[in-house]
Amino acid sequence: MTKVETTMARGSTLSNYVQLMKPGIMVLLVLEAITAMIVASGRSTQFTSVIGIAAAGILSSGGSAALNHYLERSKDVLMTRTDHRPVATQRIPAKNALVFGIALIASGLTLALILFNVLTASMILLGSVSYIFLYTIYLKPRTYWNIVIGGIAGVFPALAGWAAVEDRIGWPSIFIGLLVFLWTPPHFWGLSLKFKEDYAKSGYPMLSVVKNQNEVINWIVLSTIPLLIFSVLPLAIHALGSFDAVYYLTAAVMGAAFVIVDYRMLKKPTVQNGFNAFLISLPYLFILFAGMIVSAIF
C-alpha cells in the first residue's frame, strides 16, 4: 500500500469513528451543557471550564452514540436511513464499537471528576445510562412512548453544566434540560413520519407506525404547545432563569415559526408538512441557547 493509500485508509477509518459518535446530536448536547454553565457563571465564565465540559460531553455523548450503533446494528441494516452506518455496514467491527463506546464514556466521566466534581460526573453518567438502557434497550423496541419517556436523557447535559459551576442542581439548569425534553417529541415525530416504512420494517413501534398520518400530525401540533409555553415560563417564574429581551425575542420568533409550520400541517396534513416540523426544530434549540448565552454574558 502506498503512502497516499495508507493516508486515505486512515482518513476513512477516522471518518467512520466520527460517524459512530453521531456528531449532530453531540453538538446539541454539548451546547446544552455549555449554555447551562454560562447561565450559571455569567460574565465570570472561564474559557478553560467551557473547554472542559465540552470535552467531557463529547466523550460521553460520543461513547453513548457508539453503543447505540452497536446495540441497533441488526435493525440499522433494515432501514434506508441507517443502513449506511459504520457498524451496520461492518466498516467498523461490532466489538470495536463496543470497546470504543465504553472507553469514551469512561474517559468522559474521568475527565469530569478531575476537572469538576462528583455531581457533574454523576449527571453525565445518568445521561448515558438513560440513553443506552432506558431508551435504546428498553423503550424503543417496546412502545411508541419511547421518544417521550426516553427524552429524559436530554435533560442531564444541562444539569451537568450547571453542577460543574455550582456543585449543585439549579432551577435554570432544570429549565434548560426540560426545554430539550419537551422539544424531542415534535422534533422526532416529524422525522419518523417521513421514515414510517423504515421503522415498520425494523419492527420499532414508533408513533408513525402505530398511528395514522393525521393522528401523528395532531400529536406533533399538540406537543409543540407545552414547548412554546414553557420556553417563556421564566417571565412568570423568575427562579427558572433571569434572561433579558434577547432571549425572549428569539423564543418568540422561533415560537412563531413553529406555529406557522403547525398551522400548515393542520391545514394540509401531508408527510412533507409533518417533516417540516422536524426541519424547523433543527435550529430551534440552537437559537434559544444562543439567546440565553447572550443574556448571561452581555
Side-chain angles (χ1 to χ4, degrees):
M1 184 179 290
T2 66
K3 289 184 178 179
V4 173
E5 289 174 330
T6 301
T7 301
M8 291 178 64
R10 287 174 179 170
S12 177
T13 300
L14 177 61
S15 174
N16 287 330
Y17 275 95
V18 169
Q19 291 178 45
L20 200 63
M21 297 169 71
K22 296 188 178 181
I25 297 174
M26 177 201 301
V27 169
L28 173 63
L29 297 178
V30 170
L31 179 59
E32 178 190 351
I34 290 173
T35 300
M37 171 176 277
I38 293 175
V39 170
S41 51
R43 294 179 181 178
S44 63
T45 301
Q46 297 181 354
F47 181 71
T48 52
S49 295
V50 172
I51 296 299
I53 199 66
I58 288 170
L59 291 169
S60 58
S61 172
S64 301
L67 294 182
N68 176 268
H69 278 263
Y70 168 78
L71 292 166
E72 295 188 343
R73 62 193 186 280
S74 61
K75 299 282 192 179
D76 282 346
V77 297
L78 303 175
M79 301 192 291
T80 57
R81 190 176 71 87
T82 57
D83 61 6
H84 61 284
R85 287 178 172 174
V87 181
T89 57
Q90 299 181 18
R91 299 195 307 275
I92 293 179
K95 183 175 72 173
N96 290 14
L98 175 62
V99 173
F100 181 68
I102 293 172
L104 285 187
I105 293 173
S107 299
L109 294 175
T110 301
L111 188 62
L113 281 170
I114 293 172
L115 296 180
F116 303 112
N117 48 59
V118 173
L119 183 58
T120 302
S122 298
M123 293 302 101
I124 290 174
L125 177 60
L126 284 173
S128 294
V129 167
S130 58
Y131 179 66
I132 295 165
F133 292 97
L134 178 63
Y135 173 68
T136 302
I137 294 178
Y138 185 76
L139 292 170
K140 191 172 181 179
R142 288 177 171 83
T143 173
Y144 63 83
W145 288 100
N146 48 27
I147 200 64
V148 178
I149 304 171
I152 193 69
V155 174
F156 293 104
L159 306 186
W162 188 278
V165 177
E166 299 283 347
D167 197 12
R168 64 182 179 86
I169 303 301
W171 282 108
S173 65
I174 296 173
F175 168 71
I176 294 168
L178 288 178
L179 267 179
V180 179
F181 176 78
L182 293 172
W183 165 87
T184 302
H187 168 74
F188 191 82
W189 284 338
L191 178 69
S192 70
L193 192 61
K194 187 175 181 67
F195 293 98
K196 172 183 177 178
E197 297 305 321
D198 267 1
Y199 288 117
K201 284 189 297 183
S202 69
Y204 286 128
M206 294 301 183
L207 185 68
S208 58
V209 175
V210 300
K211 302 288 183 181
N212 65 50
Q213 185 172 304
N214 284 0
E215 287 178 307
V216 175
I217 285 176
N218 288 338
W219 280 51
I220 293 172
V221 172
L222 288 173
S223 69
T224 62
I225 295 172
L227 170 64
L228 301 186
I229 293 173
F230 190 76
S231 69
V232 295
L233 199 58
L235 275 171
I237 305 177
H238 301 305
L240 296 178
S242 299
F243 305 114
D244 63 20
V246 173
Y247 167 71
Y248 292 112
L249 179 61
T250 59
V253 170
M254 293 309 298
F258 238 128
V259 169
I260 291 171
V261 170
D262 285 350
Y263 172 75
R264 290 174 177 171
M265 272 193 292
L266 291 173
K267 189 175 181 180
K268 191 177 181 181
T270 63
V271 171
Q272 182 56 51
N273 280 340
F275 186 63
N276 286 341
F278 167 77
L279 295 178
I280 192 61
S281 72
L282 288 174
Y284 180 83
L285 286 179
F286 287 96
I287 294 174
L288 260 62
F289 289 161
M292 290 181 189
I293 291 172
V294 171
S295 291
I297 294 179
F298 298 102

